[in-house]
PDB file of all heavy atoms in Angstrom:
ATOM      1  N   GLY A 152     101.249 121.599 124.197  1.00  0.00           N
ATOM      2  CA  GLY A 152      99.979 122.242 124.526  1.00  0.00           C
ATOM      3  C   GLY A 152      99.794 122.491 126.008  1.00  0.00           C
ATOM      4  O   GLY A 152     100.762 122.635 126.758  1.00  0.00           O
ATOM      5  N   LYS A 153      98.506 122.567 126.414  1.00  0.00           N
ATOM      6  CA  LYS A 153      98.146 122.907 127.790  1.00  0.00           C
ATOM      7  C   LYS A 153      97.358 121.773 128.423  1.00  0.00           C
ATOM      8  O   LYS A 153      96.515 121.146 127.766  1.00  0.00           O
ATOM      9  CB  LYS A 153      97.280 124.175 127.809  1.00  0.00           C
ATOM     10  CG  LYS A 153      98.033 125.430 127.408  1.00  0.00           C
ATOM     11  CD  LYS A 153      97.154 126.667 127.491  1.00  0.00           C
ATOM     12  CE  LYS A 153      96.174 126.748 126.330  1.00  0.00           C
ATOM     13  NZ  LYS A 153      95.340 127.958 126.357  1.00  0.00           N
ATOM     14  N   LEU A 154      97.627 121.525 129.699  1.00  0.00           N
ATOM     15  CA  LEU A 154      96.897 120.500 130.450  1.00  0.00           C
ATOM     16  C   LEU A 154      97.099 120.785 131.930  1.00  0.00           C
ATOM     17  O   LEU A 154      98.207 121.131 132.345  1.00  0.00           O
ATOM     18  CB  LEU A 154      97.463 119.111 130.092  1.00  0.00           C
ATOM     19  CG  LEU A 154      96.604 117.876 130.328  1.00  0.00           C
ATOM     20  CD1 LEU A 154      95.335 117.882 129.490  1.00  0.00           C
ATOM     21  CD2 LEU A 154      97.417 116.602 130.017  1.00  0.00           C
ATOM     22  N   MET A 155      96.052 120.638 132.731  1.00  0.00           N
ATOM     23  CA  MET A 155      96.147 120.785 134.182  1.00  0.00           C
ATOM     24  C   MET A 155      96.815 122.108 134.578  1.00  0.00           C
ATOM     25  O   MET A 155      97.580 122.168 135.535  1.00  0.00           O
ATOM     26  CB  MET A 155      96.959 119.626 134.791  1.00  0.00           C
ATOM     27  CG  MET A 155      96.515 118.239 134.387  1.00  0.00           C
ATOM     28  SD  MET A 155      95.082 117.642 135.300  1.00  0.00           S
ATOM     29  CE  MET A 155      95.708 117.609 136.969  1.00  0.00           C
ATOM     30  N   GLY A 156      96.539 123.168 133.815  1.00  0.00           N
ATOM     31  CA  GLY A 156      97.095 124.477 134.151  1.00  0.00           C
ATOM     32  C   GLY A 156      98.546 124.665 133.763  1.00  0.00           C
ATOM     33  O   GLY A 156      99.146 125.706 134.048  1.00  0.00           O
ATOM     34  N   GLN A 157      99.143 123.669 133.127  1.00  0.00           N
ATOM     35  CA  GLN A 157     100.543 123.776 132.694  1.00  0.00           C
ATOM     36  C   GLN A 157     100.597 123.982 131.188  1.00  0.00           C
ATOM     37  O   GLN A 157      99.641 123.691 130.475  1.00  0.00           O
ATOM     38  CB  GLN A 157     101.281 122.499 133.054  1.00  0.00           C
ATOM     39  CG  GLN A 157     101.156 122.170 134.514  1.00  0.00           C
ATOM     40  CD  GLN A 157     102.507 122.015 135.172  1.00  0.00           C
ATOM     41  OE1 GLN A 157     103.409 122.828 134.966  1.00  0.00           O
ATOM     42  NE2 GLN A 157     102.637 120.955 135.940  1.00  0.00           N
ATOM     43  N   ARG A 158     101.762 124.435 130.715  1.00  0.00           N
ATOM     44  CA  ARG A 158     101.915 124.725 129.296  1.00  0.00           C
ATOM     45  C   ARG A 158     103.288 124.242 128.825  1.00  0.00           C
ATOM     46  O   ARG A 158     104.303 124.514 129.458  1.00  0.00           O
ATOM     47  CB  ARG A 158     101.788 126.234 129.078  1.00  0.00           C
ATOM     48  CG  ARG A 158     101.957 126.675 127.626  1.00  0.00           C
ATOM     49  CD  ARG A 158     102.080 128.196 127.535  1.00  0.00           C
ATOM     50  NE  ARG A 158     100.825 128.864 127.865  1.00  0.00           N
ATOM     51  CZ  ARG A 158      99.920 129.222 126.951  1.00  0.00           C
ATOM     52  NH1 ARG A 158     100.128 128.976 125.675  1.00  0.00           N
ATOM     53  NH2 ARG A 158      98.811 129.834 127.315  1.00  0.00           N
ATOM     54  N   SER A 159     103.322 123.532 127.725  1.00  0.00           N
ATOM     55  CA  SER A 159     104.589 123.053 127.154  1.00  0.00           C
ATOM     56  C   SER A 159     105.210 124.128 126.280  1.00  0.00           C
ATOM     57  O   SER A 159     104.496 124.868 125.599  1.00  0.00           O
ATOM     58  CB  SER A 159     104.336 121.807 126.307  1.00  0.00           C
ATOM     59  OG  SER A 159     105.434 121.571 125.440  1.00  0.00           O
ATOM     60  N   PRO A 160     106.543 124.209 126.265  1.00  0.00           N
ATOM     61  CA  PRO A 160     107.204 125.179 125.373  1.00  0.00           C
ATOM     62  C   PRO A 160     107.227 124.745 123.902  1.00  0.00           C
ATOM     63  O   PRO A 160     107.695 125.514 123.050  1.00  0.00           O
ATOM     64  CB  PRO A 160     108.635 125.248 125.925  1.00  0.00           C
ATOM     65  CG  PRO A 160     108.845 123.976 126.649  1.00  0.00           C
ATOM     66  CD  PRO A 160     107.499 123.516 127.152  1.00  0.00           C
ATOM     67  N   ALA A 161     106.726 123.568 123.587  1.00  0.00           N
ATOM     68  CA  ALA A 161     106.761 123.098 122.186  1.00  0.00           C
ATOM     69  C   ALA A 161     105.987 124.057 121.286  1.00  0.00           C
ATOM     70  O   ALA A 161     104.859 124.448 121.601  1.00  0.00           O
ATOM     71  CB  ALA A 161     106.162 121.691 122.095  1.00  0.00           C
ATOM     72  N   VAL A 162     106.600 124.426 120.160  1.00  0.00           N
ATOM     73  CA  VAL A 162     105.966 125.358 119.222  1.00  0.00           C
ATOM     74  C   VAL A 162     105.194 124.569 118.167  1.00  0.00           C
ATOM     75  O   VAL A 162     105.781 123.825 117.374  1.00  0.00           O
ATOM     76  CB  VAL A 162     107.020 126.271 118.545  1.00  0.00           C
ATOM     77  CG1 VAL A 162     106.350 127.169 117.504  1.00  0.00           C
ATOM     78  CG2 VAL A 162     107.754 127.097 119.591  1.00  0.00           C
ATOM     79  N   VAL A 163     103.869 124.710 118.202  1.00  0.00           N
ATOM     80  CA  VAL A 163     103.016 124.058 117.210  1.00  0.00           C
ATOM     81  C   VAL A 163     102.117 125.111 116.565  1.00  0.00           C
ATOM     82  O   VAL A 163     102.059 126.252 117.031  1.00  0.00           O
ATOM     83  CB  VAL A 163     102.179 122.904 117.828  1.00  0.00           C
ATOM     84  CG1 VAL A 163     103.092 121.755 118.246  1.00  0.00           C
ATOM     85  CG2 VAL A 163     101.344 123.383 119.008  1.00  0.00           C
ATOM     86  N   HIS A 164     101.418 124.745 115.507  1.00  0.00           N
ATOM     87  CA  HIS A 164     100.742 125.741 114.663  1.00  0.00           C
ATOM     88  C   HIS A 164      99.230 125.578 114.588  1.00  0.00           C
ATOM     89  O   HIS A 164      98.561 126.314 113.866  1.00  0.00           O
ATOM     90  CB  HIS A 164     101.382 125.729 113.270  1.00  0.00           C
ATOM     91  CG  HIS A 164     102.845 126.067 113.323  1.00  0.00           C
ATOM     92  ND1 HIS A 164     103.316 127.353 113.223  1.00  0.00           N
ATOM     93  CD2 HIS A 164     103.941 125.291 113.551  1.00  0.00           C
ATOM     94  CE1 HIS A 164     104.636 127.362 113.350  1.00  0.00           C
ATOM     95  NE2 HIS A 164     105.035 126.119 113.549  1.00  0.00           N
ATOM     96  N   THR A 165      98.703 124.591 115.313  1.00  0.00           N
ATOM     97  CA  THR A 165      97.256 124.441 115.498  1.00  0.00           C
ATOM     98  C   THR A 165      97.060 124.039 116.959  1.00  0.00           C
ATOM     99  O   THR A 165      98.008 123.592 117.604  1.00  0.00           O
ATOM    100  CB  THR A 165      96.669 123.347 114.578  1.00  0.00           C
ATOM    101  OG1 THR A 165      97.426 122.148 114.735  1.00  0.00           O
ATOM    102  CG2 THR A 165      96.682 123.772 113.112  1.00  0.00           C
ATOM    103  N   PRO A 166      95.846 124.190 117.509  1.00  0.00           N
ATOM    104  CA  PRO A 166      95.631 123.820 118.914  1.00  0.00           C
ATOM    105  C   PRO A 166      95.778 122.311 119.103  1.00  0.00           C
ATOM    106  O   PRO A 166      95.036 121.518 118.523  1.00  0.00           O
ATOM    107  CB  PRO A 166      94.196 124.286 119.194  1.00  0.00           C
ATOM    108  CG  PRO A 166      93.925 125.323 118.155  1.00  0.00           C
ATOM    109  CD  PRO A 166      94.661 124.855 116.934  1.00  0.00           C
ATOM    110  N   LEU A 167      96.776 121.906 119.927  1.00  0.00           N
ATOM    111  CA  LEU A 167      97.122 120.503 120.113  1.00  0.00           C
ATOM    112  C   LEU A 167      97.501 120.245 121.563  1.00  0.00           C
ATOM    113  O   LEU A 167      97.895 121.159 122.278  1.00  0.00           O
ATOM    114  CB  LEU A 167      98.348 120.125 119.261  1.00  0.00           C
ATOM    115  CG  LEU A 167      98.203 120.110 117.749  1.00  0.00           C
ATOM    116  CD1 LEU A 167      99.573 119.889 117.113  1.00  0.00           C
ATOM    117  CD2 LEU A 167      97.242 119.004 117.322  1.00  0.00           C
ATOM    118  N   VAL A 168      97.442 118.977 121.946  1.00  0.00           N
ATOM    119  CA  VAL A 168      97.965 118.562 123.245  1.00  0.00           C
ATOM    120  C   VAL A 168      98.629 117.206 123.082  1.00  0.00           C
ATOM    121  O   VAL A 168      98.239 116.406 122.212  1.00  0.00           O
ATOM    122  CB  VAL A 168      96.842 118.511 124.315  1.00  0.00           C
ATOM    123  CG1 VAL A 168      95.868 117.362 124.083  1.00  0.00           C
ATOM    124  CG2 VAL A 168      97.428 118.444 125.721  1.00  0.00           C
ATOM    125  N   ALA A 169      99.675 116.955 123.895  1.00  0.00           N
ATOM    126  CA  ALA A 169     100.264 115.619 124.003  1.00  0.00           C
ATOM    127  C   ALA A 169     100.877 115.485 125.386  1.00  0.00           C
ATOM    128  O   ALA A 169     101.477 116.439 125.896  1.00  0.00           O
ATOM    129  CB  ALA A 169     101.332 115.379 122.939  1.00  0.00           C
ATOM    130  N   ALA A 170     100.688 114.314 125.995  1.00  0.00           N
ATOM    131  CA  ALA A 170     101.257 114.064 127.320  1.00  0.00           C
ATOM    132  C   ALA A 170     101.531 112.580 127.479  1.00  0.00           C
ATOM    133  O   ALA A 170     100.816 111.752 126.907  1.00  0.00           O
ATOM    134  CB  ALA A 170     100.292 114.525 128.416  1.00  0.00           C
ATOM    135  N   GLU A 171     102.585 112.264 128.248  1.00  0.00           N
ATOM    136  CA  GLU A 171     102.766 110.875 128.695  1.00  0.00           C
ATOM    137  C   GLU A 171     102.215 110.777 130.103  1.00  0.00           C
ATOM    138  O   GLU A 171     102.514 111.614 130.953  1.00  0.00           O
ATOM    139  CB  GLU A 171     104.253 110.479 128.713  1.00  0.00           C
ATOM    140  CG  GLU A 171     104.411 109.029 129.206  1.00  0.00           C
ATOM    141  CD  GLU A 171     105.849 108.575 129.449  1.00  0.00           C
ATOM    142  OE1 GLU A 171     106.744 109.022 128.719  1.00  0.00           O
ATOM    143  OE2 GLU A 171     106.050 107.768 130.382  1.00  0.00           O
ATOM    144  N   LEU A 172     101.395 109.747 130.355  1.00  0.00           N
ATOM    145  CA  LEU A 172     100.840 109.523 131.684  1.00  0.00           C
ATOM    146  C   LEU A 172     101.228 108.128 132.151  1.00  0.00           C
ATOM    147  O   LEU A 172     101.247 107.179 131.353  1.00  0.00           O
ATOM    148  CB  LEU A 172      99.311 109.657 131.666  1.00  0.00           C
ATOM    149  CG  LEU A 172      98.736 110.987 131.164  1.00  0.00           C
ATOM    150  CD1 LEU A 172      97.211 110.936 131.161  1.00  0.00           C
ATOM    151  CD2 LEU A 172      99.220 112.150 132.019  1.00  0.00           C
ATOM    152  N   ASN A 173     101.532 108.026 133.444  1.00  0.00           N
ATOM    153  CA  ASN A 173     101.893 106.746 134.057  1.00  0.00           C
ATOM    154  C   ASN A 173     101.001 106.507 135.264  1.00  0.00           C
ATOM    155  O   ASN A 173     101.000 107.304 136.201  1.00  0.00           O
ATOM    156  CB  ASN A 173     103.365 106.763 134.480  1.00  0.00           C
ATOM    157  CG  ASN A 173     104.285 106.729 133.269  1.00  0.00           C
ATOM    158  OD1 ASN A 173     104.542 105.674 132.714  1.00  0.00           O
ATOM    159  ND2 ASN A 173     104.744 107.890 132.841  1.00  0.00           N
ATOM    160  N   LEU A 174     100.248 105.406 135.231  1.00  0.00           N
ATOM    161  CA  LEU A 174      99.314 105.088 136.309  1.00  0.00           C
ATOM    162  C   LEU A 174      99.655 103.714 136.881  1.00  0.00           C
ATOM    163  O   LEU A 174      99.642 102.714 136.147  1.00  0.00           O
ATOM    164  CB  LEU A 174      97.859 105.054 135.805  1.00  0.00           C
ATOM    165  CG  LEU A 174      97.111 106.375 135.620  1.00  0.00           C
ATOM    166  CD1 LEU A 174      97.646 107.146 134.434  1.00  0.00           C
ATOM    167  CD2 LEU A 174      95.615 106.111 135.443  1.00  0.00           C
ATOM    168  N   PRO A 175      99.944 103.644 138.194  1.00  0.00           N
ATOM    169  CA  PRO A 175     100.178 102.326 138.785  1.00  0.00           C
ATOM    170  C   PRO A 175      98.928 101.460 138.677  1.00  0.00           C
ATOM    171  O   PRO A 175      97.812 101.971 138.508  1.00  0.00           O
ATOM    172  CB  PRO A 175     100.509 102.622 140.245  1.00  0.00           C
ATOM    173  CG  PRO A 175     100.466 104.085 140.417  1.00  0.00           C
ATOM    174  CD  PRO A 175     100.024 104.736 139.153  1.00  0.00           C
ATOM    175  N   THR A 176      99.112 100.156 138.777  1.00  0.00           N
ATOM    176  CA  THR A 176      97.985  99.220 138.718  1.00  0.00           C
ATOM    177  C   THR A 176      96.912  99.609 139.721  1.00  0.00           C
ATOM    178  O   THR A 176      97.201  99.895 140.876  1.00  0.00           O
ATOM    179  CB  THR A 176      98.487  97.787 139.009  1.00  0.00           C
ATOM    180  OG1 THR A 176      99.432  97.451 137.996  1.00  0.00           O
ATOM    181  CG2 THR A 176      97.348  96.795 138.987  1.00  0.00           C
ATOM    182  N   GLY A 177      95.675  99.663 139.249  1.00  0.00           N
ATOM    183  CA  GLY A 177      94.554  99.972 140.131  1.00  0.00           C
ATOM    184  C   GLY A 177      94.233 101.457 140.202  1.00  0.00           C
ATOM    185  O   GLY A 177      93.194 101.842 140.728  1.00  0.00           O
ATOM    186  N   SER A 178      95.101 102.286 139.665  1.00  0.00           N
ATOM    187  CA  SER A 178      94.913 103.731 139.740  1.00  0.00           C
ATOM    188  C   SER A 178      93.809 104.177 138.764  1.00  0.00           C
ATOM    189  O   SER A 178      93.665 103.643 137.667  1.00  0.00           O
ATOM    190  CB  SER A 178      96.240 104.415 139.395  1.00  0.00           C
ATOM    191  OG  SER A 178      96.091 105.806 139.373  1.00  0.00           O
ATOM    192  N   VAL A 179      93.016 105.156 139.187  1.00  0.00           N
ATOM    193  CA  VAL A 179      91.951 105.717 138.349  1.00  0.00           C
ATOM    194  C   VAL A 179      92.141 107.227 138.298  1.00  0.00           C
ATOM    195  O   VAL A 179      92.326 107.870 139.327  1.00  0.00           O
ATOM    196  CB  VAL A 179      90.549 105.398 138.931  1.00  0.00           C
ATOM    197  CG1 VAL A 179      89.454 105.977 138.024  1.00  0.00           C
ATOM    198  CG2 VAL A 179      90.365 103.906 139.113  1.00  0.00           C
ATOM    199  N   LEU A 180      92.092 107.781 137.087  1.00  0.00           N
ATOM    200  CA  LEU A 180      92.332 109.207 136.910  1.00  0.00           C
ATOM    201  C   LEU A 180      91.216 109.813 136.075  1.00  0.00           C
ATOM    202  O   LEU A 180      90.892 109.306 135.001  1.00  0.00           O
ATOM    203  CB  LEU A 180      93.686 109.401 136.203  1.00  0.00           C
ATOM    204  CG  LEU A 180      94.060 110.804 135.745  1.00  0.00           C
ATOM    205  CD1 LEU A 180      94.184 111.746 136.929  1.00  0.00           C
ATOM    206  CD2 LEU A 180      95.374 110.764 134.960  1.00  0.00           C
ATOM    207  N   THR A 181      90.612 110.895 136.597  1.00  0.00           N
ATOM    208  CA  THR A 181      89.680 111.671 135.791  1.00  0.00           C
ATOM    209  C   THR A 181      90.421 112.914 135.331  1.00  0.00           C
ATOM    210  O   THR A 181      90.748 113.782 136.134  1.00  0.00           O
ATOM    211  CB  THR A 181      88.428 112.035 136.605  1.00  0.00           C
ATOM    212  OG1 THR A 181      87.842 110.821 137.084  1.00  0.00           O
ATOM    213  CG2 THR A 181      87.416 112.758 135.743  1.00  0.00           C
ATOM    214  N   LEU A 182      90.716 112.951 134.045  1.00  0.00           N
ATOM    215  CA  LEU A 182      91.594 113.990 133.501  1.00  0.00           C
ATOM    216  C   LEU A 182      90.758 115.060 132.805  1.00  0.00           C
ATOM    217  O   LEU A 182      90.066 114.779 131.828  1.00  0.00           O
ATOM    218  CB  LEU A 182      92.562 113.355 132.498  1.00  0.00           C
ATOM    219  CG  LEU A 182      93.620 114.265 131.893  1.00  0.00           C
ATOM    220  CD1 LEU A 182      94.652 114.663 132.949  1.00  0.00           C
ATOM    221  CD2 LEU A 182      94.318 113.563 130.727  1.00  0.00           C
ATOM    222  N   PRO A 183      90.818 116.309 133.300  1.00  0.00           N
ATOM    223  CA  PRO A 183      90.090 117.375 132.595  1.00  0.00           C
ATOM    224  C   PRO A 183      90.798 117.725 131.284  1.00  0.00           C
ATOM    225  O   PRO A 183      92.010 117.948 131.275  1.00  0.00           O
ATOM    226  CB  PRO A 183      90.141 118.550 133.580  1.00  0.00           C
ATOM    227  CG  PRO A 183      91.225 118.246 134.551  1.00  0.00           C
ATOM    228  CD  PRO A 183      91.559 116.787 134.462  1.00  0.00           C
ATOM    229  N   VAL A 184      90.040 117.734 130.197  1.00  0.00           N
ATOM    230  CA  VAL A 184      90.620 118.030 128.883  1.00  0.00           C
ATOM    231  C   VAL A 184      89.769 119.075 128.175  1.00  0.00           C
ATOM    232  O   VAL A 184      88.638 119.342 128.566  1.00  0.00           O
ATOM    233  CB  VAL A 184      90.732 116.752 128.005  1.00  0.00           C
ATOM    234  CG1 VAL A 184      91.751 115.788 128.581  1.00  0.00           C
ATOM    235  CG2 VAL A 184      89.370 116.087 127.813  1.00  0.00           C
ATOM    236  N   ASP A 185      90.327 119.645 127.125  1.00  0.00           N
ATOM    237  CA  ASP A 185      89.630 120.649 126.330  1.00  0.00           C
ATOM    238  C   ASP A 185      88.504 119.973 125.539  1.00  0.00           C
ATOM    239  O   ASP A 185      88.762 119.106 124.702  1.00  0.00           O
ATOM    240  CB  ASP A 185      90.644 121.301 125.376  1.00  0.00           C
ATOM    241  CG  ASP A 185      90.074 122.520 124.665  1.00  0.00           C
ATOM    242  OD1 ASP A 185      88.867 122.512 124.322  1.00  0.00           O
ATOM    243  OD2 ASP A 185      90.834 123.467 124.432  1.00  0.00           O
ATOM    244  N   ALA A 186      87.275 120.374 125.801  1.00  0.00           N
ATOM    245  CA  ALA A 186      86.128 119.694 125.177  1.00  0.00           C
ATOM    246  C   ALA A 186      86.028 119.978 123.679  1.00  0.00           C
ATOM    247  O   ALA A 186      85.313 119.267 122.965  1.00  0.00           O
ATOM    248  CB  ALA A 186      84.834 120.109 125.878  1.00  0.00           C
ATOM    249  N   SER A 187      86.752 121.001 123.189  1.00  0.00           N
ATOM    250  CA  SER A 187      86.717 121.258 121.742  1.00  0.00           C
ATOM    251  C   SER A 187      87.710 120.364 120.983  1.00  0.00           C
ATOM    252  O   SER A 187      87.735 120.358 119.759  1.00  0.00           O
ATOM    253  CB  SER A 187      87.036 122.735 121.461  1.00  0.00           C
ATOM    254  OG  SER A 187      88.400 123.007 121.718  1.00  0.00           O
ATOM    255  N   PHE A 188      88.517 119.608 121.729  1.00  0.00           N
ATOM    256  CA  PHE A 188      89.507 118.719 121.113  1.00  0.00           C
ATOM    257  C   PHE A 188      88.934 117.318 120.944  1.00  0.00           C
ATOM    258  O   PHE A 188      88.161 116.842 121.774  1.00  0.00           O
ATOM    259  CB  PHE A 188      90.753 118.581 121.999  1.00  0.00           C
ATOM    260  CG  PHE A 188      91.701 119.744 121.980  1.00  0.00           C
ATOM    261  CD1 PHE A 188      91.344 120.984 121.455  1.00  0.00           C
ATOM    262  CD2 PHE A 188      92.984 119.605 122.506  1.00  0.00           C
ATOM    263  CE1 PHE A 188      92.243 122.047 121.456  1.00  0.00           C
ATOM    264  CE2 PHE A 188      93.887 120.661 122.505  1.00  0.00           C
ATOM    265  CZ  PHE A 188      93.521 121.885 121.990  1.00  0.00           C
ATOM    266  N   GLU A 189      89.387 116.622 119.880  1.00  0.00           N
ATOM    267  CA  GLU A 189      89.263 115.173 119.841  1.00  0.00           C
ATOM    268  C   GLU A 189      90.562 114.602 120.393  1.00  0.00           C
ATOM    269  O   GLU A 189      91.606 115.257 120.346  1.00  0.00           O
ATOM    270  CB  GLU A 189      88.997 114.695 118.404  1.00  0.00           C
ATOM    271  CG  GLU A 189      89.893 115.309 117.346  1.00  0.00           C
ATOM    272  CD  GLU A 189      89.350 115.087 115.939  1.00  0.00           C
ATOM    273  OE1 GLU A 189      88.166 114.730 115.774  1.00  0.00           O
ATOM    274  OE2 GLU A 189      90.139 115.279 114.980  1.00  0.00           O
TER     275      GLU A 189
END
Side-chain angles (χ1 to χ4, degrees):
K153 291 182 284 182
L154 201 63
M155 309 280 298
Q157 305 236 45
R158 179 191 291 266
S159 162
V162 176
V163 292
H164 300 270
T165 51
L167 292 173
V168 70
E171 179 188 326
L172 303 178
N173 289 278
L174 280 71
T176 299
S178 176
V179 181
L180 172 63
T181 303
L182 184 70
V184 293
D185 190 324
S187 71
F188 283 14
E189 47 195 16

